[in-house]
Amino acid sequence: MRGREEDNMTDRDGSSDTTPLIEFRGVGKRFMVKGEPLQAVQDIDLKVREGEILTLVGPSGCGKSTLLNMAAGLFEATAGEVIYRGAPVQPYNHAVGYMTQSDHLLPWRDVAGNIAIPLEIKGLPKGEIDARVETLMETVGLSGFGRSYPNQLSGGMRKRCALARLLAYDPETLLMDEPFAALDAMLRMRMQIEIRTLCRQLGKTVMFVTHDLDEAVAIGDRCVVFTGRPGTIDRVVDVPLPPDRDILQLRKDRAYQEITATLWDVLAPAVAMEE
Amino acid sequence: MEELSRTRVWVLRGLFLAFVLISWELSSGRLASEFFISRPTAIAAMFWDWVVSGKIFYHGAITLLEAVAGFLLGGLIGMIIGVWLGRAELVAEVLDPFIMMFYSLPKVALAPLFVLWFGIGIDMKILLTATIVFFLVFLNTYTGVRAVSREQIAILRLMGANERHVLFKVVLPSAVTWVFTGLRLSVPYALIGAIVGELIASNRGLGYLLADSAGQFDTTGVFTALIGIMIMAFCLNAAVKLLEIKAMPWRETNSKREMSI
């Protein structure tokens, strides 16, 4: 657990002086659902720092995914603005990569073909694509499965394939929307470890949405807690765990236990209110 | 469940066929007049006659040409217009009621009009077949293009894909399943188009053989022509099925997979 003290010190102050990579300024989003307006989120002020893993946790339906969609430029905010690198987000923010609970692999392409898509879009020559795909499959542990179709893969392998596709076009920011929700607990933990390691290695900025408090704390450098519907930010906390934390052993970590217990007190009322 | 033994299935199929043919043969002239139901041996003999004289091949080739040409023409135009309308929402919305109205019309009812317009030659049959096939393929392609997952498109857009990338990497491949459903459904209809066209007005083709035999009260000839048509339909279906497996390898792996709930 070395390095926790220093890390804790430098990160104690929630606001940083460096300009944020992504900034939500007074953001609100209203959808029309069957003619009825539905306020998904409101009054969101949030700064995402470059290189950090920011987790967004809260009850389902509190608009966490809405924020990711707006950061990607899939739709506009109805109030406030979303800033990416100092400029308002335009439709289809190419600087971000998206990974969702459903992996959206193309069923008619095999693993290698799926990973190759972003490279083909970039227009790389065939030989280079093949070489890069091979390396990527190795990175995510899919070597030897290049010729398999998605429907022949297990859930975890499909995630790895989606992850490799994401890494193939190397976006500086990764938006992850409950990517591991459908996996069993063991597999989820392994994927958490790999995501943290990979993102630290590659210096990615990550916004990671989850409804699982343990996951939010285990993965995140900072954790944003949402409550209510429409979703608002209840608090933003620094996760008092070192960057090179051992996710497998977190259960025994005092700091981890304390922070999850504290945050649980924030989330529990919202859970009780649902139904 | 234990896997059915293939040989056993085939033996049972053979027995079933033999039973049907023998019952037919025996009832002919006893339970029903041979004039109306003919008999399998007579049909087989005539079929062999037609094979030896090449009659069945001559007429079969004409019907096949009409069906295949109409199938290709209608299928191609159906796919192109289906993709186009599937992408152009406004046009699709405007044309929708007219398309549905025309779709609900039984296309063979157009045959008399087509005779007026195009005469009684082979082009009339090809166009009639193409019209029938067009609607089936068009509607399936259109549905397929509209059913493309918007999330998959959004994900590709984030990767920097342009309209062409989206069309060729997501929309068209994802519509292929639907297109093939349309094509496979069209095969029997393509034959219907060709045969109906021949029944109405022609002096060549299996439909003509059928009508001609019936006109001479030759039941054996009618049955022989029907068997020719059946064999052709079976071969066409098998060809499309083969093409489907070639075009969509991921589907085959799907059906070969172990079932699990």
Side-chain angles (χ1 to χ4, degrees):
Chain A
M1 293 294 132
R2 78 194 146 76
R4 179 190 302 171
E5 253 64 47
E6 297 86 350
D7 194 61
N8 226 351
M9 301 291 265
T10 52
D11 245 357
R12 194 173 294 279
D13 187 2
S15 64
S16 151
D17 288 338
T18 54
T19 47
L21 179 64
I22 312 171
E23 190 176 357
F24 296 85
R25 288 188 195 148
V27 167
K29 177 69 191 176
R30 187 197 301 266
F31 291 104
M32 294 303 279
V33 179
K34 290 179 191 147
E36 295 282 313
L38 178 91
Q39 188 78 30
V41 288
Q42 65 184 24
D43 302 330
I44 301 293
D45 285 296
L46 181 64
K47 291 174 178 163
V48 185
R49 301 173 198 153
E50 189 156 6
E52 75 172 337
I53 299 181
L54 182 72
T55 50
L56 296 84
V57 66
S60 53
C62 72
K64 296 163 299 197
S65 311
T66 310
L67 292 187
L68 293 199
N69 284 329
M70 288 189 287
L74 299 186
F75 47 69
E76 274 182 29
T78 35
E81 53 183 352
V82 185
I83 308 290
Y84 192 94
R85 271 206 194 285
V89 169
Q90 299 298 316
Y92 302 119
N93 182 353
H94 298 317
V96 307
Y98 222 112
M99 189 165 164
T100 57
Q101 180 174 348
S102 124
D103 42 57
H104 296 303
L105 296 174
L106 303 180
W108 52 86
R109 280 174 172 246
D110 55 20
V111 167
N114 266 290
I115 301 175
I117 288 183
L119 305 173
E120 289 171 13
I121 289 174
K122 267 187 194 163
L124 297 186
K126 179 95 176 59
E128 197 180 333
I129 291 180
D130 290 347
R132 294 264 303 264
V133 167
E134 199 55 46
T135 322
L136 282 160
M137 287 199 295
E138 226 164 86
T139 313
V140 299
L142 272 180
S143 292
F145 287 98
R147 297 264 79 85
S148 304
Y149 287 100
N151 63 19
Q152 299 169 305
L153 300 181
S154 66
M157 283 158 80
R158 293 175 64 116
K159 288 286 174 254
R160 285 165 198 277
C161 182
L163 180 61
R165 181 176 66 176
L166 194 58
L167 295 175
Y169 66 108
D170 206 28
E172 59 178 359
T173 301
L174 306 184
L175 304 176
M176 304 198 160
D177 191 355
E178 310 208 10
F180 310 141
L183 302 183
D184 65 70
M186 297 295 171
L187 196 52
R188 184 157 62 207
M189 194 171 279
R190 279 188 59 188
M191 292 302 292
Q192 289 168 357
I193 294 170
E194 282 177 35
I195 280 286
R196 244 204 94 82
T197 319
L198 268 171
C199 291
R200 283 281 65 81
Q201 236 173 44
L202 304 170
K204 302 287 185 201
T205 308
V206 180
M207 285 181 81
F208 190 106
V209 161
T210 175
H211 59 255
D212 178 355
L213 180 56
D214 295 311
E215 183 171 65
V217 174
I219 289 191
D221 297 321
R222 287 195 304 152
C223 181
V224 185
V225 183
F226 282 78
T227 50
R229 185 185 289 192
T232 45
I233 295 179
D234 183 273
R235 65 188 65 188
V236 182
V237 291
D238 291 318
V239 175
L241 297 170
D244 59 347
R245 65 192 70 164
D246 181 356
I247 291 181
L248 279 179
Q249 300 301 329
L250 278 182
R251 281 172 189 286
K252 306 175 195 161
D253 190 298
R254 282 282 305 283
Y256 172 78
Q257 289 163 359
E258 274 167 30
I259 181 114
T260 45
T262 316
L263 292 182
W264 182 246
D265 287 337
V266 180
L267 280 177
V271 175
M273 260 168 56
E274 274 187 57
E275 244 24 63
Chain B
M1 199 176 76
E2 245 179 277
E3 196 161 335
L4 295 167
S5 146
R6 296 309 297 164
T7 37
R8 192 162 153 225
V9 170
W10 277 107
V11 167
L12 288 173
R13 279 176 186 166
L15 286 175
F16 175 74
L17 182 66
F19 172 75
V20 170
L21 290 179
I22 291 170
S23 323
W24 184 358
E25 182 78 33
L26 290 180
S27 48
S28 177
R30 293 186 178 84
L31 295 175
S33 158
E34 189 177 342
F35 175 78
F36 287 114
I37 67 168
S38 185
R39 56 171 65 238
T41 43
I43 296 168
M46 182 170 277
F47 192 82
W48 181 245
D49 254 14
W50 286 5
V51 169
V52 171
S53 67
K55 190 174 175 184
I56 191 103
F57 298 118
Y58 171 72
H59 292 280
I62 288 177
T63 305
L64 187 68
L65 174 68
E66 291 161 0
V68 170
F71 180 79
L72 292 180
L73 186 67
L76 195 69
I77 299 176
M79 277 190 263
I80 291 171
I81 305 224
V83 169
W84 176 58
L85 280 192
R87 301 293 288 164
E89 276 182 47
L90 177 67
V91 189
E93 195 63 34
V94 171
L95 293 183
D96 183 70
F98 303 105
I99 292 169
M100 288 324 284
M101 231 172 356
F102 204 62
Y103 177 66
S104 25
L105 177 79
K107 257 64 70 185
V108 287
L110 292 173
L113 188 63
F114 276 37
V115 172
L116 280 178
W117 284 350
F118 309 110
I120 61 165
I122 195 166
D123 42 352
M124 181 272 271
K125 284 106 193 170
I126 292 177
L127 288 170
L128 183 63
T129 305
T131 314
I132 297 174
V133 170
F134 166 79
F135 273 95
L136 285 167
V137 174
F138 159 74
L139 278 180
N140 271 285
T141 308
Y142 175 72
T143 316
V145 170
R146 295 292 291 263
V148 171
S149 144
R150 288 171 59 202
E151 288 77 15
Q152 269 169 349
I153 294 180
I155 284 194
L156 251 76
R157 286 287 195 183
L158 286 174
M159 295 175 187
N162 56 31
E163 186 71 15
R164 196 174 54 88
H165 289 133
V166 170
L167 185 65
F168 283 98
K169 292 189 194 303
V170 186
V171 175
L172 292 184
S174 119
V176 161
T177 325
W178 291 81
V179 172
F180 266 97
T181 310
L183 288 178
R184 213 181 42 220
L185 283 176
S186 306
V187 170
Y189 288 98
L191 267 185
I192 290 177
I195 304 268
V196 167
E198 288 167 358
L199 285 178
I200 286 176
S202 78
N203 50 14
R204 290 180 300 174
L206 293 177
Y208 159 75
L209 276 187
L210 196 64
D212 188 49
S213 303
Q216 300 172 28
F217 303 108
D218 175 8
T219 332
T220 310
V222 171
F223 276 113
T224 311
L226 282 177
I227 284 175
I229 294 170
M230 240 183 324
I231 291 174
M232 185 177 292
F234 179 82
C235 293
L236 286 177
N237 267 320
V240 172
K241 189 88 202 156
L242 264 178
L243 205 66
E244 201 174 347
I245 292 172
K246 272 256 178 279
M248 298 189 289
W250 68 94
R251 290 269 294 221
E252 210 209 352
T253 61
N254 209 6
S255 61
K256 272 188 193 157
R257 212 165 36 148
E258 288 283 320
M259 182 202 61
S260 63
I261 299 174

